[in-house]
Amino acid sequence: MKGRTIVLDHIEGREAAALMVDGKLDDFLIAGDAPPPGTIYRARADRQVKGQGGMFLTTPDGPAFLRQVKGLAPGALLLVQVTGFAEPGKAVPVTDRVLFKSRYAIVTPEAPGLNISRGIKDEDERDRLLEIAHEVMGDSAYGLILRSCCVGADADDIAEDIGAMLTQAEQVLNDPGTEPETLAEGDGPHILAWRDWTDPADVVTEAGGFEHHGVLDALDIARGIAEPLPGGGHLYIEPTRALIAVDVNTGADTSLAAGTKANFACAKTLPRALRVRGLGGQITIDMAPMPKKDRRGLEQALRAAFKADGIETTLAGWTPLGHFELQRKRGRIPLSEVLE
């Protein structure tokens, strides 16, 4: 099946969204039990951890951790926003730079000014979008970023989106409460799919869509450790308590170039495999044997693949033992934590 299809459904009682590209599961979002990224709290500063350069906070959903804190006294109240999912037993990661993000618009209270995505090159289109932004934002002191999917979008839809985010920002930032409180819920999978999967796609909302469009079969693979590589071979992806171990296996290919081919296939496949499985943190790849002269080309292939992925990933480089290491933001819920 060619093309892009967004399937909105439920699995095991949880809201979920799947992005199928040419019949293959390209992305998957599922609701978890932890507060989702984007949730905004009024939190209370609890105790500073100088060795970690941060402070633990009290929120209605339990402890949170804010990095790089200066001048924040225990007992002080502040607004924070969830940035990702915590490892089991650890505090939820938060930031004090709160954003209000939707499909077309991001309102940035601490960064004033009207900005257009650099991905929009056409000057006439940029002028059109700036006119819309000026009309809705008026004399607001908040900043605004118009996202790249605004290109060609209906002016009323963009204006409505800006207005909704501006109203939410004003409500949250001017809330008069004096105790820790949840001020805004993070978006669920169906809203996230509408917000972030903006390329043209067919949208399926009927119950049973996951079964009819092959999502359940794809999830059976994603819930295991083996991920097939194009051209043969497999990746074996095994989360441990400390890190995620990835082993590149050449399969039945015994040619001299088998290792190089499998490693380049890994570079192409790994971002999607991690994204669908909801995996982040420290990742160590045990590459298949290949000449050292091919390492630079492989690094370039990995960099290009993860840049297109959209989830913040740092390529740390090669270890003395010949492994390749990554650090990836924990922006998704691991499937193993929510699906039996």
Side-chain angles (χ1 to χ4, degrees):
M1 182 186 298
K2 295 295 184 180
R4 294 168 58 90
T5 303
I6 295 171
V7 188
L8 308 179
D9 203 348
H10 290 74
I11 183 170
E12 296 184 9
R14 296 178 184 271
E15 182 180 298
L19 174 62
M20 303 294 289
V21 178
D22 297 335
K24 193 167 188 175
L25 183 61
D26 190 76
D27 205 347
F28 186 73
L29 303 168
I30 186 167
D33 300 322
T39 299
I40 299 174
Y41 299 116
R42 182 172 48 251
R44 177 178 288 116
D46 187 1
R47 59 185 176 88
Q48 194 164 10
V49 186
K50 293 183 179 179
Q52 298 182 35
M55 178 168 274
F56 283 102
L57 312 174
T58 297
T59 79
D61 293 321
F65 186 72
L66 176 64
R67 294 187 180 276
Q68 299 177 338
V69 174
K70 292 184 180 179
L72 184 62
L77 294 173
L78 70 161
L79 292 183
V80 293
Q81 187 167 40
V82 177
T83 59
F85 292 96
E87 298 177 62
K90 294 191 176 182
V92 174
V94 296
T95 179
D96 57 358
R97 299 184 67 83
V98 176
L99 302 175
F100 299 85
K101 184 176 182 180
S102 190
R103 182 180 178 95
Y104 298 113
I106 304 173
V107 170
T108 58
E110 296 185 18
L114 304 182
N115 299 281
I116 309 294
S117 167
R118 284 179 289 183
I120 302 176
K121 305 297 186 183
D122 184 87
E123 290 300 325
D124 289 340
E125 183 68 356
R126 294 179 70 88
D127 289 342
R128 179 182 82 97
L129 295 176
L130 279 174
E131 288 180 10
I132 299 170
H134 278 292
E135 183 176 344
V136 180
M137 295 294 290
D139 58 358
S140 172
Y142 302 155
L144 174 72
I145 301 171
L146 289 181
R147 305 178 68 193
S148 57
C149 62
C150 288
V151 173
D154 183 81
D156 289 341
D157 291 340
I158 298 171
E160 181 180 352
D161 218 32
I162 297 171
M165 291 301 96
L166 182 59
T167 298
Q168 186 182 41
E170 291 170 341
Q171 290 174 343
V172 168
L173 271 67
N174 295 313
D175 188 280
T178 58
E179 293 294 328
E181 184 180 350
T182 302
L183 300 179
E185 299 282 356
D187 291 330
H190 291 181
I191 296 297
L192 279 176
W194 169 80
R195 191 187 84 182
D196 293 338
W197 297 345
T198 57
D199 289 341
D202 295 327
V203 179
V204 176
T205 59
E206 293 82 4
F210 282 172
E211 180 177 3
H212 297 151
H213 290 270
V215 177
L216 297 183
D217 291 338
L219 287 176
D220 285 341
I221 296 175
R223 289 156 82 170
I225 66 170
E227 178 71 30
L229 290 175
H234 286 81
L235 297 180
Y236 292 95
I237 304 171
E238 299 185 72
T240 72
R241 184 174 181 85
L243 51 80
I244 297 163
V246 179
D247 180 54
V248 183
N249 187 283
T250 60
D253 189 346
T254 58
S255 66
L256 291 176
T260 300
K261 290 190 291 186
N263 290 338
F264 275 84
C266 165
K268 182 178 180 180
T269 302
L270 186 59
R272 183 193 61 80
L274 294 173
R275 188 168 63 240
V276 167
R277 287 168 171 77
L279 296 178
Q282 297 180 36
I283 301 165
T284 298
I285 310 172
D286 183 13
M287 296 291 185
M290 74 174 187
K292 283 191 175 181
K293 65 180 178 64
D294 293 332
R295 284 188 175 184
R296 178 168 295 183
L298 180 58
E299 288 179 42
Q300 292 173 345
L302 284 165
R303 189 170 292 107
F306 280 103
K307 183 178 180 180
D309 173 50
I311 297 176
E312 182 181 336
T313 304
T314 301
L315 275 61
W318 299 92
T319 71
L321 293 177
H323 300 148
F324 195 88
E325 293 184 330
L326 312 170
Q327 179 72 37
R328 185 172 173 86
K329 182 177 179 180
R330 298 179 186 275
R332 302 287 177 84
I333 308 171
L335 285 185
S336 60
E337 292 186 10
V338 290
L339 296 183
E340 297 179 358

